[in-house]
């Protein structure tokens, strides 16, 4: 029987070594920035009770349930199981983090600052920038009882620091406030504010006319109320500008919750107006509502300039009641960067590239198999000083060993000499010089692979 060529699974990306170099560089930068801002790393389990995941928003059709093979073989096993007996892969990192806080509250110091880098799973239709398995990087601040509002402005500043260090296009973060939006809808006399929010949140995917039709025909709004909702959603402001406050008030709607949301959003915009320069900007955009039900205050969405069609790459918001043990509520605010969503489309276009696909900086040549131990000793000495080194796989002619290094983009080849001396060759320039494994080091730019942005060619 002829062997079959494996077929890739749509929506489950696998990266080549040079692409993993890019991803690892981005993750290293994120961890460094998060830790510089005082966030501690955590990791949570991959599964949660299905009943918990389905309570958190309009995501039920995208959740992957987990069953043992024996249960699959037993007809009706899944239908007979219920509640916490059914497990599912987590679709984000916020819901697992809320559970983590409740289980470990007695061991955590509040306000607790956490970052988390893990994979998540969603059963949505794969397309560019949309995957079924993908990596996220989250930062959250959670407190016991109450959470100071300044944290809602702090998190964009953290992300601005991260994006300033990454070779990515400029990013625009759009911010809004769920209290503002819900208060506006309440001021209009609308009862089902959650359904209205979900429809308005589709404005970046469809036309205002279709959203208006959905509000009238699907949600049951009157034409005046639908027009008012769209008028609110069209309001924008430049970085640092709080002019949207007067524009919202000019729409003639009054509500106490609306006033609170306006004040909170104005504070976030004012505090982040001068951040990021050309690499990162924060702007008020009153069309942003986020589809998940647990958000209660500031909400965020971020898009790369020139690649807005990929959708939001960094999203999140404030949640006041996601974690609650019946005695204490743990409000929080968080941002989630879709690492896979951001990187894979850029990698596929060749816009982000690593200088080499391997960490190896030096290949130690082998004169013959009898001298392999001597070459291995040189490699060990270099590694002990932090130089990424490997030994040639075979004692072929030196020209062939050099070609092997060149194919792997290894910049240097080390040659132990018969008299016990050593020489190292930069195979890019051809320069070969004496070297001592106890002192020699590659130039800083060659010590590890580097990552750079490459402008698309016309």
């Amino acid at each position: 029987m002829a062997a079959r060529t494996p077929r890739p699974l749509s929506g489950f990306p696998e990266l080549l070594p040079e692409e993993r170099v890019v991803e690892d560089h981005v993750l290293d930068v994120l961890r460094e920035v998060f830790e510089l801002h005082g966030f501690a790393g955590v990791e949570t389990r991959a599964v949660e009770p299905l009943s918990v995941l389905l309570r958190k928003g309009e995501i039920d059709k995208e959740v992957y349930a987990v069953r043992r093979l024996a249960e699959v073989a037993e007809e009706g096993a899944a239908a007979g199981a219920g509640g916490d007996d059914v497990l599912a892969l987590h679709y984000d990192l916020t819901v697992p983090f809320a559970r983590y806080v409740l289980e470990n509250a007695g061991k955590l110091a509040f306000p607790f600052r956490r970052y988390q880098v893990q994979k998540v799973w969603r059963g949505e239709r794969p397309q560019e920038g949309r995957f079924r398995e993908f990596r996220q990087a989250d930062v959250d601040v959670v407190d016991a009882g109450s959470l100071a509002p300044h944290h809602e402005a702090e998190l964009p500043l953290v992300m601005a620091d991260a994006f300033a260090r990454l070779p990515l296009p400029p990013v625009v973060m759009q911010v809004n406030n769920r209290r503002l939006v819900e208060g506006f809808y309440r001021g209009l006399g609308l009862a089902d504010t959650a359904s209205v929010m979900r429809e308005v949140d589709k404005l970046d995917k469809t036309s205002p006319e279709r959203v208006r039709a959905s509000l009238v025909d699907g949600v049951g709004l009157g034409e005046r109320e639908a027009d008012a909702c769209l008028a609110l959603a069209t309001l924008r402001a430049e970085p640092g500008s709080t002019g949207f406050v007067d524009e919202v008030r000019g729409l003639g709607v009054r509500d106490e919750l609306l006033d609170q949301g306006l004040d909170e959003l104005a504070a976030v915009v004012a505090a982040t107006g001068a951040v990021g320069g050309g690499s990162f900007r924060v702007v008020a955009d009153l069309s942003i509502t986020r589809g998940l039900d647990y958000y209660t205050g500031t909400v965020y969405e971020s898009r790369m300039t020139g690649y807005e069609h990929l959708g939001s790459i960094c999203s999140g918001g404030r949640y006041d009641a996601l974690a609650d043990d019946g005695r204490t509520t743990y409000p929080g605010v968080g941002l989630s960067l879709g690492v896979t969503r951001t990187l894979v489309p850029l990698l596929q276009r060749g816009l982000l590239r690593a200088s080499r696909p391997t960490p190896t900086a030096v290949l130690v040549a082998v004169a013959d198999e009898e001298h392999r131990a001597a070459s291995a000793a040189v490699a060990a000495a270099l590694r002990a000083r932090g130089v990424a080194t490997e030994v040639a796989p075979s004692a072929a002619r030196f020209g062939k060993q050099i070609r092997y290094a060149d194919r792997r983009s290894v910049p240097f080849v080390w040659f132990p000499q018969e008299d016990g001396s050593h020489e190292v060759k930069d195979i890019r320039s051809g320069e070969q010089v004496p070297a001592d494994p106890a002192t020699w080091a590659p130039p800083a730019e060659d010590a590890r692979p580097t990552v750079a942005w490459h402008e698309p060619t016309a």
Side-chain angles (χ1 to χ4, degrees):
M1 181 176 179
R4 292 186 298 175
T5 302
R7 292 185 299 175
L9 288 175
S10 179
F12 295 84
E14 294 179 319
L15 303 183
L16 294 171
E18 55 267 36
E19 296 171 331
R20 278 305 312 275
V21 169
V22 174
E23 183 184 55
D24 284 342
H25 170 74
V26 170
L27 296 178
D28 287 344
V29 170
L30 292 174
R31 292 188 187 98
E32 179 182 9
V33 170
F34 296 160
E35 291 177 4
L36 283 173
H37 286 264
F39 292 85
V42 305
E43 181 169 304
T44 58
R45 65 198 186 204
V47 297
E48 297 291 334
L50 180 61
S51 58
V52 172
L53 296 179
L54 294 185
R55 288 202 302 265
K56 304 306 178 183
E58 200 174 60
I59 198 83
D60 55 304
K61 295 180 180 178
E62 299 177 5
V63 175
Y64 281 111
V66 178
R67 297 165 58 196
R68 292 184 300 112
L69 186 60
E71 290 178 333
V72 176
E74 298 172 6
E75 184 176 358
D84 291 350
D85 294 328
V86 179
L87 299 179
L89 294 170
H90 56 225
Y91 61 82
D92 75 355
L93 299 179
T94 304
V95 174
F97 175 57
R99 187 265 311 157
Y100 177 93
V101 168
L102 291 177
E103 289 187 8
N104 296 283
K107 305 171 186 177
L108 302 176
F110 294 97
F112 181 50
R113 303 165 68 84
R114 149 277 200 185
Y115 78 86
Q116 185 172 351
V117 180
Q118 278 183 247
K119 286 190 173 182
V120 300
W121 295 266
R122 293 185 187 180
E124 57 185 354
R125 182 174 66 86
Q127 54 187 299
E128 186 178 36
R130 293 276 186 177
F131 306 97
R132 291 171 171 168
E133 179 184 62
F134 52 98
R135 197 180 308 275
Q136 289 189 178
D138 284 23
V139 281
D140 287 74
V141 181
V142 64
D143 210 341
S146 63
L147 179 73
H150 64 77
H151 293 298
E152 295 172 56
E154 178 188 8
L155 290 190
L157 301 179
V158 174
M159 281 301 180
D161 194 357
F163 280 113
R165 301 170 188 232
L166 293 172
L168 294 172
V171 172
V172 176
M173 175 174 281
Q174 303 152 291
V175 296
N176 196 7
N177 189 288
R178 288 281 286 254
R179 280 187 262 269
L180 184 164
V181 177
E182 184 174 353
F184 187 87
Y185 296 164
R186 286 194 339 191
L188 288 173
L190 306 182
D192 188 2
T193 59
S195 294
V196 179
M197 285 188 194
R198 280 193 287 270
E199 292 304 319
V200 172
D201 194 47
K202 298 174 183 177
L203 278 170
D204 65 332
K205 305 178 185 70
T206 187
S207 67
E209 291 76 19
R210 289 189 176 183
V211 171
R212 185 182 188 278
S214 297
L215 291 173
V216 174
D217 300 332
V219 183
L221 269 61
E223 293 189 0
R224 184 184 69 85
E225 289 79 8
D227 289 339
C229 292
L230 288 174
L232 178 72
T234 60
L235 297 181
R236 309 284 187 273
E238 291 300 312
S241 171
T242 58
F244 63 88
V245 174
D246 290 336
E247 293 186 82
V248 172
R249 298 197 189 287
L251 296 176
V253 177
R254 299 289 181 266
D255 184 87
E256 184 176 338
L257 190 62
L258 168 62
D259 293 337
Q260 180 184 353
L262 278 171
D263 291 341
E264 292 174 352
L265 182 58
V268 170
V269 171
T272 59
V275 71
S279 64
F280 189 87
R281 295 182 298 128
V282 179
V283 301
D285 185 330
L286 275 63
S287 69
I288 304 300
T289 61
R290 305 292 298 142
L292 295 171
D293 292 342
Y294 52 69
Y295 292 123
T296 54
T298 302
V299 286
Y300 318 85
E301 290 191 356
S302 310
R303 289 167 171 78
M304 290 188 292
T305 303
Y307 302 89
E308 290 86 355
H309 67 282
L310 297 176
S312 179
I313 62 166
C314 182
S315 308
R318 175 165 180 143
Y319 45 91
D320 284 297
L322 187 58
D324 186 345
D325 62 6
R327 300 182 305 275
T328 305
T329 299
Y330 298 89
V333 60
L335 276 170
S336 176
L337 174 62
V339 177
T340 307
R341 183 173 195 171
T342 302
L343 295 184
V344 169
L346 302 180
L347 291 169
Q348 291 173 340
R349 289 172 166 82
L351 300 174
L352 279 178
R353 300 179 201 167
S355 59
R356 60 181 189 262
T358 172
T360 305
V362 182
L363 176 77
V364 181
V366 178
D368 52 54
E369 290 302 328
E370 288 73 18
H371 290 85
R372 177 171 291 277
S375 295
V378 171
L382 290 170
R383 292 188 197 112
R385 297 176 40 253
V387 180
T389 309
E390 63 180 275
V391 179
S394 67
R397 294 190 306 274
F398 282 159
K400 189 172 183 179
Q401 294 185 53
I402 291 173
R403 287 194 293 274
Y404 170 81
D406 185 50
R407 287 197 303 272
R408 289 167 55 77
S409 299
V410 176
F412 297 96
V413 177
W414 191 283
F415 297 102
Q417 305 297 306
E418 291 183 2
D419 62 1
S421 64
H422 303 268
E423 293 184 358
V424 64
K425 180 174 185 173
D426 184 334
I427 65 173
R428 299 161 298 183
S429 66
E431 181 183 14
Q432 185 165 325
V433 297
D436 183 344
T439 59
W440 181 88
E445 62 270 19
D446 291 322
R448 289 288 185 270
T450 58
V451 175
W453 174 266
H454 292 258
E455 288 295 336
T457 58

